[in-house]
Amino acid sequence: MIGGIFPIFNKEISSTSTFDRDPPGVKCIGFDLRAFRWTQVMIFAIEEINKDSTLLPNISLGYRILNSCASPTNTLRAALTLASRLEETESTSSCPPAISALIAESGSSQSLAVAGTLGPFHLPVVSYFSTCACLSNRAKYPTFFRTIPSDYFQAKALAALVKHFGWEWIGAIQSDNDYGRNGILAFTEEVKKLGVCVAFVGTILRTYTMDKILHVVEMIKQSTVEVILAFVPEGDLYPLMKEVVKQNITGIQWIGSEAWITATRPSTPEIYKAYGGALGFVVKKMAIPNLKPFLTGVSPYTDPAAAFVRDFWEIMVGCRPALPGEHTGTEATNVICTGNETLTNSKDVFFNVTQLRVSYNVYKAVYAIAHALHQLVFCQPAGEKTVTPCLNITDIQLNEVTDQIQRVNFRNMFGDNVFFDENGDPPASYEIINWQLRDGQVQHVALGHFDSAANGDYELSIQEKKIVWRTGKMVPKSVCSNVCPIGTRKAQIKGKPTCCFDCIPCADGTVANSTADCIPCPQEYWSNDRKDECIPKTIEFLTYSEPMGIALTFVSLLGATLSLATMTIFICCRDTPVIKASNAELSCFLLFSLFLCFLCPLTFIGRPTVWTCMLRHTAFGVTFALCISCVLGKTIVVVTAFKASFPGSKVAGKFGPAQQRIIVCSCTLIQILICVLWLKLNSPFPDMVFRYSNKKIVLECNTGSEAAFYAALGYIGILSIICLVLAFLARKLPDNFNEAKFITFSMLIFCAVWITFIPAYVSSPGKFTVAVEIFAILSSAYGLLICIFAPKCYIILIKPEKNTKKHVMGKI
């Protein structure tokens, strides 16, 4: 008895057990005509052997075939079922019910499960389509054999093909099982020796969701490869093939493994649109005599109990056979056959037996087992004249069958030597297949061969002129990276092999030499646009000639002019009540300090030098300290004047002109001391700043000591806050002309400007830092000038009738 396991249905319907009843049986869908033909070839070979008088004479081989649903779990369940004795078999039966050998399976993952489980029981397993190199491990799988070469040889063949056409940059698609993963691993190891880079490895499986399939498609679209190897079984690859055609991804040269390159289902004109010109390796084809009449004779009416035949008949004929005694009420949705249908004249590719490859492997597996049993039972090779049994078939031991299969060596009717090496593998020999479209049909045209030798060498022969390429008549070019041009450098691509690189422009500030390495330019130089020469950087600073410089200079001079004009008005009208009420001496001091404040920004414009750098910060600090000191003096005068209006108050006498001058001078002197220490310890200096822009050198004044700079600003801030508080307290004095209100408003503007100045100053780049500081100086100076002196000038020049003592001293 020989067992057989085939993926007649290629997809299992998953079900969830509720644990409240017996679990449902396994249900599978997707009838596979290709796998069904494999089962018929096995039956055909066994019947042929039973008719052969020289091979196992007077012994009839039996068979039992089960479906695996292309699932490792179901394959293992089927294998254990076949390896167990049937309960209904009578003990007196002359034929042992347990199988002597098992032909299984097409998928490597399924064969791994079976071989690993049945190996300890010495049951020989012969596969017809499992190519994973991992199955050659005799320590793990001592009873595994196969009639198809290992992927170890196919990987060598594919690597030799890639090397032959000079492809250095390719993509890879693998199935998410042992066949795909081990196949791509073996191929990658081979091509690394040849300096070939694998750009990406996409993973697919027939049970994957569409999102995963689309992810692989997107990977293909985004890649720059022109050649892709698909090491995937046909059932797993087909959903991807349809999506590639749907998205019109053309121009890629596909390389296929033997698992799909000659499969019938994808070999259609529609799939050819994207996969035309595909190359791949397959085992040699063979035409088995008398097989076609056997296949056309398959009918549910001949043997109603034959497994899977009714499903086959429904697909081929298009109707459901109705057998005697069968109730057809539940089959209302199917067309019932009349019984007169026949397959004799069918033109379906199922009956094309001239290019059998995997089917031929099944055929050889059956004959290999038969020759091993013949040697075991008759103790001599098949074909000898004297045929006398030397062993009772009931005494056959599985380990003896395994030993005989390992030793089997015969030449079949087609002239092929059938034998297995020490790892259970057959000799490696492949044909090179090219997809070509002829008369509207996809043809698998053989254009060469690959044969391996025992010493590890190989022979690759290709008829290149007859190859149809997907990209045209020329051999596709697929290199990892071209030589980098001048001005660019090699850059390793993350996640890709080291031999693959991008040519990217040299970084700013570097230039490329003849070796495609980028060399940095000196600090004062920068690279040109072509990145092949260093040129001097642009010098940047705030100049008088640019629009911003012109505008700031104009505003600065305008403020200085207004200050002088106001001072002139105050001097000329110093005897008027408004001037007298506002303390003419302090007002002139304040206007003079404002004049200096407006001139101070001029030191910030122009190319920085040692003197301008020292002058701009110290002049700024001293002039503003003088300005705020004058405002503080005026505020104190207003407050003391109000206090003096009360009977018996002596405050006014204690704060006369002398005291006012002392306040102004002492407050200014403190700032002068801060600036002197600043200049003495760590004075400002001109500096070249490179951090703002790679292509520019910004010339600016380095403050030297940040602490001294912020100390000067802080001191001005303290004076302004004191002034603001005093003015705010005196804002509601009952005079018609209450100067405290204007001082309060001016101090609010002053404080607001300098509070916003600090973050703007810190965050502004290059020459804009200087512009921000100038803007703050001018804004605060204009705020003081307008808020304090504009109302007085308005009365003096526009409303002279209000410039009287009565109006000024009037009560509200």
Side-chain angles (χ1 to χ4, degrees), residues 689-703:
V689 181
F690 301 93
R691 67 178 180 273
Y692 297 126
S693 174
N694 291 327
K695 298 181 180 180
K696 297 178 182 180
I697 300 175
V698 178
L699 296 182
E700 64 178 27
C701 287
N702 192 310
T703 57

Side-chain angles (χ1 to χ4, degrees), residues 544 548-563 594-605 774 777-779 781-782 785:
Y544 288 103
M548 187 187 299
I550 293 172
L552 292 175
T553 301
F554 173 77
V555 174
S556 178
L557 294 177
L558 177 62
T561 303
L562 291 176
S563 299
L594 287 174
F595 171 75
L596 296 178
C597 289
F598 281 117
L599 293 180
C600 188
L602 299 180
T603 62
F604 286 78
I605 304 174
I774 294 174
I777 293 171
L778 294 176
S779 298
Y782 270 107
L785 179 63

Side-chain angles (χ1 to χ4, degrees), residues 572-595:
C572 295
C573 302
R574 61 184 178 275
D575 295 327
T576 61
V578 170
I579 303 300
K580 288 181 178 181
S582 62
N583 196 328
E585 184 178 353
L586 279 181
S587 295
C588 289
F589 270 120
L590 179 56
L591 287 169
F592 176 72
S593 63
L594 287 174
F595 171 75

Side-chain angles (χ1 to χ4, degrees), residues 249-536:
I249 303 175
T250 58
I252 292 177
Q253 178 62 46
W254 289 87
I255 304 175
S257 63
E258 91 295 330
W260 69 270
I261 196 67
T262 57
T264 304
R265 183 165 61 159
S267 300
T268 62
E270 181 185 4
I271 299 296
Y272 187 88
K273 296 175 183 177
Y275 288 80
L279 291 172
F281 289 96
V282 293
V283 293
K284 290 184 178 180
K285 64 182 179 181
M286 193 60 62
I288 302 176
N290 303 320
L291 177 60
K292 183 174 182 179
F294 179 84
L295 294 177
T296 55
V298 175
S299 170
Y301 303 107
T302 304
D303 183 6
F308 315 117
V309 174
R310 296 186 65 186
D311 298 281
F312 163 74
W313 191 262
E314 186 172 0
I315 292 175
M316 299 303 295
V317 180
C319 61
R320 187 79 176 175
L323 302 179
E326 183 182 44
H327 177 64
T328 61
T330 59
E331 305 292 338
T333 57
N334 298 79
V335 178
I336 305 302
C337 296
T338 62
N340 299 323
E341 293 81 8
T342 180
L343 301 175
T344 304
N345 298 321
S346 176
K347 302 297 182 181
D348 194 274
V349 293
F350 178 85
F351 303 103
N352 182 5
V353 297
T354 60
Q355 297 189 16
L356 299 178
R357 302 182 190 276
V358 182
S359 298
Y360 180 52
N361 290 339
V362 176
Y363 186 85
K364 288 191 293 184
V366 175
Y367 268 87
I369 295 172
H371 275 267
L373 291 174
H374 184 98
Q375 179 69 35
L376 183 62
V377 173
F378 296 100
C379 299
Q380 63 183 17
E384 299 288 338
K385 294 181 180 180
T386 304
V387 180
T388 304
C390 62
L391 178 69
N392 193 319
I393 59 174
T394 59
D395 298 328
I396 293 177
Q397 300 296 318
L398 294 179
N399 60 334
E400 294 177 345
V401 178
T402 300
D403 292 339
Q404 291 302 326
I405 293 178
Q406 182 68 66
R407 297 190 185 99
V408 76
N409 192 336
F410 65 95
R411 182 183 293 270
N412 62 17
M413 69 173 69
F414 307 105
D416 289 340
N417 291 321
V418 180
F419 65 92
F420 304 100
D421 63 13
E422 65 276 8
N423 296 320
D425 296 324
S429 180
Y430 297 97
E431 285 184 344
I432 300 175
I433 294 299
N434 180 222
W435 277 27
Q436 298 184 10
L437 193 64
R438 296 179 178 178
D439 300 326
Q441 297 294 323
V442 177
Q443 301 292 330
H444 306 138
V445 182
L447 297 177
H449 62 85
F450 175 90
D451 296 298
S452 64
N455 60 359
D457 293 336
Y458 59 84
E459 178 188 358
L460 178 66
S461 175
I462 305 176
Q463 303 174 34
E464 292 189 37
K465 294 182 178 180
K466 295 183 179 181
I467 295 178
V468 174
W469 299 105
R470 179 65 204 148
T471 54
K473 296 182 179 180
M474 300 295 294
V475 178
K477 182 181 179 182
S478 186
V479 295
C480 186
S481 299
N482 293 315
V483 178
C484 291
I486 295 175
T488 62
R489 65 174 179 85
K490 295 180 180 179
Q492 183 66 42
I493 303 174
K494 185 178 180 180
K496 292 184 179 179
T498 55
C499 59
C500 301
F501 54 87
D502 276 337
C503 294
I504 64 173
C506 288
D508 290 339
T510 61
V511 293
N513 57 18
S514 58
T515 60
D517 293 327
C518 295
I519 301 174
C521 293
Q523 192 174 27
E524 294 80 8
Y525 289 82
W526 197 248
S527 56
N528 60 1
D529 293 338
R530 296 187 303 274
K531 302 296 189 299
D532 59 356
E533 182 183 3
C534 291
I535 57 176

